[in-house]
Amino acid sequence: MALPPHAQDWMNRAEIDYIGPFVKAWAAFNAWYRQASGEAQERAMLNYVVSNANSQLRRRGLPLFRADNNTVESITLKQAIGDLHIRLDAIHLEVTRKNGLAERVSLREVCLRPFNLQNECRDRNRQEYRARKIVGGAIEITVTAQASGLVRFQHTQPDYNPAEVYALPAFVANLSDAQQLNLRQFYDGCNPRPMTDLVLGGGPQLEAGSVVLQCTPADLLAGLVETIYTMRNALLHGEVDPDPLVLACYEPAYRIVMTFLGCVR
């Protein structure tokens, strides 16, 4: 039997909106890592949080991911991680990066180690494969015969987009099959935002509620900080719709950040 209107109204009022608590929790976390890191750039601050041996979160947080840690704090954190994955996995939440490309917010696709592409080069079978940043931030890709200096292939693109390169007629017409394969392997390795799958990553197994993750504790810590930081940015930049399924993702994110705060008190 359906609920009467007044009962439905009371039930709606009883539902907790975690957006406010999440923002406040992240503000406290942000204040901690800003002071603890001593860095001026946000990216450097986040790198300190997850990578520096002196990071209090890293020292106290990594043990909570151990499979044999059965403390209340560890179990609570693992349950929140599982809930976050399930809720993000049930939707397709996307954010837009500065280059205009869309990325999904998911523990299946997390950029743990951004790559600073400047001037990369590889020699293979007497060919030089090079990708370099040029004036204005565009990327120039060239394949040059080392013996003659002949440029077999050259293309400039405003942002990293390998699919565009491999679809060019000159890619097929000017390069042999072996050279095409070499350029693909080289340029794929220049990805500024390589993605890691924390769910099927092939690492040690970790039970997180009803979810089994396959990643190292260090990668999981880095992935959680990166994912929740992206969720925070999406919220503050107006990219989040008031969709109940989207808003529900912020409840486990709030619980995770509160556990992080407990580690650094």
Side-chain angles (χ1 to χ4, degrees), residues 219-242:
D219 280 358
L220 180 55
L221 176 62
L224 288 172
V225 169
E226 186 67 24
T227 299
I228 297 175
Y229 175 66
T230 300
M231 293 172 64
R232 172 262 189 197
N233 289 344
L235 185 65
L236 298 187
H237 297 166
E239 293 187 89
V240 175
D241 293 329

Side-chain angles (χ1 to χ4, degrees), residues 18 22 77 79-85 87-88 228 231 247-258:
Y18 280 91
F22 170 79
L77 175 60
Q79 183 64 58
I81 294 169
D83 290 345
L84 177 64
H85 167 65
R87 295 182 192 187
L88 285 175
I228 297 175
M231 293 172 64
L247 299 182
C249 298
Y250 285 86
E251 186 268 332
Y254 163 76
R255 287 189 275 144
I256 293 169
V257 177
M258 289 300 294

Side-chain angles (χ1 to χ4, degrees), residues 3 36 38-39 43 53 60 90-92 104 111 128 146 169 178 184 188 190 202 229 241 246 250:
L3 289 173
E39 299 285 351
R43 177 51 55 187
R60 297 184 179 182
I91 59 176
H92 193 88
R104 186 181 178 189
C111 180
E128 179 191 85
Q146 291 177 310
R184 284 178 180 271
D188 285 351
C190 294
Y229 175 66
D241 293 329
V246 174
Y250 285 86

Side-chain angles (χ1 to χ4, degrees), residues 143-260:
V143 179
T144 307
Q146 291 177 310
S148 64
L150 174 67
V151 176
R152 299 187 182 278
F153 175 85
Q154 186 172 66
H155 178 68
T156 301
Q157 53 183 184
D159 294 293
Y160 179 81
N161 188 344
E164 176 191 89
V165 175
Y166 309 149
L168 292 169
F171 176 78
V172 177
N174 298 351
L175 301 176
S176 68
D177 290 346
Q179 290 164 355
Q180 291 176 35
L181 178 60
N182 288 335
L183 180 55
R184 284 178 180 271
Q185 292 175 340
F186 166 70
Y187 199 45
D188 285 351
C190 294
N191 188 352
R193 291 187 60 77
M195 294 298 174
T196 298
D197 186 341
L198 299 176
V199 182
L200 299 173
Q205 291 191 349
L206 173 69
E207 290 186 12
S210 60
V211 176
V212 177
L213 305 176
Q214 297 178 9
C215 58
T216 66
D219 280 358
L220 180 55
L221 176 62
L224 288 172
V225 169
E226 186 67 24
T227 299
I228 297 175
Y229 175 66
T230 300
M231 293 172 64
R232 172 262 189 197
N233 289 344
L235 185 65
L236 298 187
H237 297 166
E239 293 187 89
V240 175
D241 293 329
D243 181 334
L245 293 181
V246 174
L247 299 182
C249 298
Y250 285 86
E251 186 268 332
Y254 163 76
R255 287 189 275 144
I256 293 169
V257 177
M258 289 300 294
T259 301
F260 288 170

